[in-house]
Amino acid sequence: MGRRKKTSTVDDLLELVAMLPWWAGVLLALVSYFVLHNIASQPVVASAQPGQIGAMVTQSLWKSLATVGQYFVPFICLVGAITSAWRRRERKNLVADVARSSATDALDGMSWREFEMLVGEGFRLQGYQVVETGGGGADGGVDLVLTKPGKSGGEKFLVQCKQWRAYKVGVDVVRELYGVMAAKGATGGFVVTSGRFTDEAIRFASGRNVTLVDGPKLHALLRQAQAGVNSRPAQKPAGPLAHPPAPSAQAQDCPLCSKPMARRTAKRGANAGNDFWGCTGYPTCRGTRPIN
C-alpha cells in the first residue's frame, strides 16, 4: 500500500484548516483578512538615513506580503472550511450506509481514507473527541487520537486503522501501537480492521489496554451508534423508582471487546439521567449499548 505523497505548504495549510470545524475555518478567514489588511494599509515611512534603510526595506517586504496574503490566506481558510463541512457530511453518510447494510462486507469497497473517516465518526458518535492525525498513510502510524473529558481532566486513546481484507492483522501491528501508547502516555488504544486478527495478536492484546475491533465488531458498533443517534431516550420518573429494573432488557456483549456489559446511568451530557449498557472493562474500554 502506498503512503501519502509529499505536499506543498499550501496543501498543508489547507489540510490543517480542514481538520477544524467548518465554522473555525470561516472565523480564521475573517481574522486573517483583517489582520493582513491592516498591515497592508500601513504607509511605508521613507528615510534617507543609513541606519533606517534596513527597517524601511523590511517594512516594505511585509507590506507586499500582506497585500497578497490578505486575499490568499482567507481564500485558503474558506476552502478548508468547505472541505471540513464536506468531510463531515461524507462521514455521516458512510456511517449511515454501513449501518443500513446487514452484511459486514459493506466495509470491503472502501479506500483506506474512507475507512479512517468511518472509524473516526464511529468513535465520535460514542462521545469521543476525535483528531485525525493523518498518521502514516495507508500502511502505518497512529491514525486517530481520541479524548474524552472526565474528572481527571480527560483521557487519551490512540487508534490504528487497518483496511486489510486480503490477510489478517498480525501481532506486530498490535505491539507497535502498544509501544506508541506507552511512549505517549495514552490510557488505551484500539486497532480497527475491516478484516480479522491472528490468534497471536488476540493473545497479545488480552489483558492489556488494547482493544481489537475486527470487521463484524465494527459493523455492530456502527449500527449501535447510528441507532443511538436516531432514537430519543424516554423520560424517566423522579423519586425512588427512577431506576426500575427492565425485565425485557437483556444485557449483551460489548460491541468493542465482547466483554459482559452492566447497566449504568449517564451522569453528564445530553443523555444525563438515562440508563444504558456499559462495558465492564471500563475505563479501558468505553463500549456502550442503548437499553431497548
Side-chain angles (χ1 to χ4, degrees), residues 160-292:
Q160 195 168 29
C161 302
K162 293 296 181 184
Q163 174 64 337
W164 290 358
R165 302 181 297 274
Y167 56 99
K168 293 182 178 181
V169 178
V171 67
D172 291 343
V173 174
V174 184
R175 283 201 185 104
E176 177 187 5
L177 179 66
Y178 189 70
V180 176
M181 285 163 46
K184 296 190 175 183
T187 304
F190 299 87
V191 180
V192 186
T193 180
S194 60
R196 301 280 185 168
F197 294 93
T198 64
D199 293 339
E200 190 178 2
I202 295 173
R203 286 194 298 270
F204 180 85
S206 178
R208 293 181 171 87
N209 52 341
V210 179
T211 302
L212 305 183
V213 182
D214 59 16
K217 288 183 181 179
L218 176 60
H219 189 259
L221 167 67
L222 294 173
R223 294 183 66 182
Q224 176 244 320
Q226 185 70 11
V229 171
N230 294 334
S231 63
R232 293 184 178 180
Q235 296 295 325
K236 293 161 43 59
L241 299 179
H243 305 283
S248 61
Q250 299 295 326
Q252 303 180 48
D253 292 338
C254 176
L256 292 180
C257 66
S258 299
K259 291 182 179 179
M261 307 194 79
R263 186 168 183 145
R264 292 174 179 159
T265 302
K267 295 182 172 58
R268 58 176 64 87
N271 294 323
N274 295 309
D275 287 350
F276 65 95
W277 294 119
C279 182
T280 55
Y282 178 90
T284 301
C285 178
R286 293 176 175 266
T288 61
R289 287 185 184 275
I291 293 181
N292 299 323

Side-chain angles (χ1 to χ4, degrees), residues 47-57:
S47 176
Q49 298 182 12
Q52 298 181 353
I53 293 178
M56 183 184 69
V57 172

Side-chain angles (χ1 to χ4, degrees), residues 66-201:
T67 300
V68 177
Q70 66 180 329
Y71 303 110
F72 180 72
V73 175
F75 174 75
I76 293 297
C77 292
L78 289 176
V79 173
I82 294 173
T83 304
S84 175
W86 176 79
R87 286 181 180 176
R88 180 63 174 165
R89 181 178 180 181
E90 186 179 20
R91 292 185 189 100
K92 290 183 178 180
N93 290 338
L94 284 172
V95 172
D97 291 342
V98 174
R100 283 195 298 264
S101 173
S102 59
T104 57
D105 59 5
L107 304 170
D108 293 346
M110 294 182 180
S111 66
W112 62 264
R113 177 59 180 162
E114 289 175 331
F115 186 70
E116 288 180 12
M117 293 172 65
L118 176 75
V119 174
E121 186 65 15
F123 280 111
R124 211 175 262 114
L125 293 175
Q126 289 286 328
Y128 290 94
Q129 296 175 356
V130 182
V131 175
E132 298 175 358
T133 65
D139 57 346
V142 172
D143 302 297
L144 306 172
V145 177
L146 313 178
T147 54
K148 205 165 192 179
K151 295 181 180 179
S152 60
E155 298 172 316
K156 179 170 65 176
F157 299 83
L158 306 181
V159 181
Q160 195 168 29
C161 302
K162 293 296 181 184
Q163 174 64 337
W164 290 358
R165 302 181 297 274
Y167 56 99
K168 293 182 178 181
V169 178
V171 67
D172 291 343
V173 174
V174 184
R175 283 201 185 104
E176 177 187 5
L177 179 66
Y178 189 70
V180 176
M181 285 163 46
K184 296 190 175 183
T187 304
F190 299 87
V191 180
V192 186
T193 180
S194 60
R196 301 280 185 168
F197 294 93
T198 64
D199 293 339
E200 190 178 2

